[in-house]
Amino acid sequence: MSFYKKNRTITISIINILMPRSLNMSGLLKAVFKKLIKKGRLEVVYPDKRREIYGDQNAKDSAAVEILTQETCLRLLVNPGLAFGEGYMDETIKPINCSIYDVLNVILQNDLAEGHYVEKIASVLRFGKRFWSQLNSLKTSQKNVAHHYDLNGALYSLFLDEDRQYSCAYFRTGNETLDEAQLAKKRHIAAKLKLDQPGLEVLDIGCGWGGMALFLAKEFDVHVTGITLSQEQLQAAKERAKKAGLEHKVCFELRDYRLVEKKFDRIVSVGMFEHVGVNYYVEFFKDINKILKPDGVMLLHSIGRSDGPGSTNPWINKYIFPGGYSPSLSEVFASVEKSGLWVTDCEILRLHYAKTLRLWHDRVKEEKEKIIQMYDERFYRMFDFYLSASELSFYYHNHMNFQLQISPSIDALPMTRDYMFEVEGKLDS
């Protein structure tokens, strides 16, 4: 029996002992929903088939959901952040004539911590134990990365763009296709790296399937070393470099950033910082300072939060990104300040990832049967919940993306941003 299952069984047993048998879990949960749902309209069907409607009866956003068991009601009372996603995966929570996206769209508009006293306490406890939950040692980091990124590569080819960019795209108008927006993202980042001379040595930390490294090598005639902790991604990246005839300009390695010793002219890291762990931020930037040349430039692209330090949702931590965390800018800047580095530019991408996730989700829904055949229906529901909740987090839970341009030198870069726009303009033409 896994630790989680054992822990859940013990928790439910204790509550069943302490609570009177006559106490109806549905009744307690009704009180929670009544306090929680202020925005939107949510209809809930309980295990006894009674229906309750919460929120604004005339709201534009509405949804209906059925909770099939008393145990699920109990778990929603004890640990809603984990239980709702698991209930949907296990089909003890079912949307009625709508999607899980519709249900979450109503729920997440509301303040879960304020409407659910247990969740408010749980969020405080999660924040307090961040030090332990994000102890990403060398061994743990590779295990955490493998959990998500070593899934069948065919899965990602079903919903990502042709270049397999598994991070926030860049939408200038909002009407771009996924492939157009991901290409724009690569160009936008390249412009900030100021790759102004051939032969520069570039390090790509968390290189994924190699798309960014191959793009920089081809478009700017630079030498790129890409590092990853995913065996699946490493193999795919090497094959892509060979197929593109860029093996002389790009190499990929299975390596943790903490083990890099060579100095580089440029460093790029896209969608990797979320896996560093809050305990390691200061050391991360100190390591960057050690391997970045004195006049070097780094571009860091990461999911962040605009409302200050927080903690990771327990369902996301268990099923999607173990040990992951989206930092606040205050946490990141405080760590950079202790490293001797300069933040030379900062850009906030507010809704770009919401748009990216929507396009991914549309493709996942189109490929539902293939994903079920590849894994099973429960896995599909997990991915459905993951993409739905993630997109809505950028609308309602103060998530965003940031790009930090970093350098050890105060004068390594021009006085204004004009050079960025000039490079992007040339790439677009």
Side-chain angles (χ1 to χ4, degrees):
M1 181 181 291
S2 69
F3 170 79
Y4 167 71
K5 290 182 179 178
K6 184 186 295 183
N7 188 53
R8 189 184 81 176
T9 302
I10 292 172
T11 301
I12 293 174
S13 298
I14 292 173
I15 292 175
N16 284 334
I17 291 171
L18 295 178
M19 285 187 174
R21 292 185 178 275
S22 60
L23 192 58
N24 189 309
M25 297 302 148
S26 297
L28 291 174
L29 193 57
K30 288 176 184 178
V32 170
F33 276 122
K34 184 176 181 180
K35 183 175 177 59
L36 171 64
I37 305 299
K38 302 299 182 184
K39 299 177 182 178
R41 178 184 183 275
L42 182 66
E43 179 178 352
V44 180
V45 178
Y46 290 93
D48 59 7
K49 302 306 177 183
R50 294 186 181 182
R51 294 174 177 263
E52 298 285 345
I53 298 176
Y54 305 97
D56 181 357
Q57 305 301 308
N58 301 312
K60 177 182 176 181
D61 296 320
S62 64
V65 65
E66 181 175 9
I67 303 171
L68 277 74
T69 69
Q70 286 292 338
E71 180 185 338
T72 302
C73 290
L74 172 60
R75 294 184 57 220
L76 288 171
L77 289 167
V78 174
N79 191 354
L82 180 62
F84 200 90
E86 288 193 328
Y88 176 64
M89 290 167 62
D90 296 335
E91 294 193 291
T92 60
I93 294 176
K94 289 186 175 182
I96 302 173
N97 298 323
C98 65
S99 67
I100 192 62
Y101 181 95
D102 298 322
V103 176
L104 290 171
N105 186 43
V106 173
I107 293 175
L108 294 182
Q109 289 183 41
N110 298 274
D111 191 336
L112 185 58
E114 290 301 319
H116 196 307
Y117 292 126
V118 175
E119 174 59 23
K120 190 171 186 177
I121 295 171
S123 65
V124 173
L125 294 175
R126 286 198 297 270
F127 185 83
K129 68 174 187 177
R130 291 195 312 167
F131 177 83
W132 292 275
S133 62
Q134 294 184 46
L135 285 174
N136 290 331
S137 64
L138 295 173
K139 183 177 180 180
T140 302
S141 292
Q142 188 160 2
K143 180 181 178 182
N144 288 342
V145 166
H147 177 91
H148 192 78
Y149 297 99
D150 279 351
L151 293 172
N152 190 331
L155 169 69
Y156 293 104
S157 67
L158 292 177
F159 71 92
L160 297 182
D161 63 301
E162 187 176 354
D163 197 39
R164 287 198 190 180
Q165 292 292 305
Y166 195 23
S167 58
C168 175
Y170 185 67
F171 296 87
R172 290 181 172 176
T173 68
N175 297 318
E176 291 87 351
T177 66
L178 181 60
D179 284 85
E180 289 170 344
Q182 291 292 11
L183 176 59
K185 184 266 297 293
K186 288 179 287 188
R187 290 173 172 173
H188 195 58
I189 289 174
K192 295 182 178 184
L193 284 169
K194 200 175 185 296
L195 302 167
D196 53 355
Q197 52 185 301
L200 290 172
E201 293 284 346
V202 181
L203 175 67
D204 184 355
I205 302 177
C207 63
W209 291 276
M212 178 65 73
L214 295 171
F215 172 79
L216 296 179
K218 181 180 178 181
E219 297 294 332
F220 293 90
D221 192 22
V222 294
H223 296 279
V224 187
T225 299
I227 60 174
T228 178
L229 294 179
S230 166
Q231 293 279 4
E232 286 280 340
Q233 290 182 334
L234 176 67
Q235 185 61 34
K238 286 184 174 181
E239 290 174 359
R240 292 184 66 190
K242 183 177 182 179
K243 185 176 181 180
L246 290 171
E247 289 177 292
H248 61 298
K249 287 187 177 181
V250 182
C251 70
F252 295 103
E253 302 174 0
L254 191 72
R255 187 181 298 272
D256 192 285
Y257 71 91
R258 288 166 284 195
L259 301 179
V260 175
E261 297 180 353
K262 179 180 175 179
K263 286 186 176 290
F264 291 87
D265 299 292
R266 303 288 188 267
I267 298 176
V268 62
S269 183
V270 180
M272 172 272 176
F273 192 69
E274 301 91 327
H275 305 283
V276 168
V278 69
N279 313 306
Y280 302 90
Y281 290 168
V282 173
E283 292 304 316
F284 174 85
F285 289 111
K286 286 183 177 180
D287 286 337
I288 294 300
N289 203 1
K290 289 178 184 177
I291 61 176
L292 194 57
K293 292 181 181 179
D295 60 348
V297 178
M298 178 189 192
L299 193 286
L300 178 68
H301 173 114
S302 174
I303 301 172
R305 58 184 74 222
S306 64
D307 56 349
S311 60
T312 302
N313 171 272
W315 186 88
I316 290 290
N317 186 68
K318 177 179 174 62
Y319 288 97
I320 308 299
F321 298 119
Y325 171 67
S326 301
S328 67
L329 281 175
S330 58
E331 293 173 299
V332 178
F333 272 85
S335 299
V336 175
E337 289 169 0
K338 297 174 183 177
S339 69
L341 294 167
W342 277 85
V343 174
T344 50
D345 190 80
C346 175
E347 181 178 7
I348 305 300
L349 305 178
R350 290 164 288 112
L351 293 174
H352 294 254
Y353 215 163
K355 179 69 173 177
T356 306
L357 287 156
R358 169 60 65 88
L359 294 176
W360 287 346
H361 197 189
D362 288 343
R363 292 185 173 197
V364 163
K365 289 184 288 186
E366 290 173 1
E367 303 291 355
K368 177 178 179 179
E369 294 306 317
K370 289 182 181 179
I371 294 173
I372 291 173
Q373 290 175 11
M374 196 177 297
Y375 289 97
D376 56 32
E377 292 189 359
R378 188 173 187 271
F379 180 93
Y380 174 81
R381 288 192 294 273
M382 180 189 76
F383 238 74
D384 185 20
F385 191 88
Y386 153 52
L387 293 173
S388 297
S390 296
E391 178 192 337
L392 292 166
S393 292
F394 284 87
Y395 285 115
Y396 302 128
H397 283 189
N398 300 306
H399 276 60
M400 47 77 170
N401 274 74
F402 61 82
Q403 291 184 350
L404 298 185
Q405 186 193 57
I406 298 169
S407 177
S409 173
I410 192 174
D411 58 359
L413 293 154
M415 295 284 283
T416 71
R417 291 175 163 181
D418 292 353
Y419 68 95
M420 298 182 190
F421 307 133
E422 291 171 3
V423 172
E424 275 191 277
K426 290 179 182 177
L427 289 170
D428 290 338
S429 61

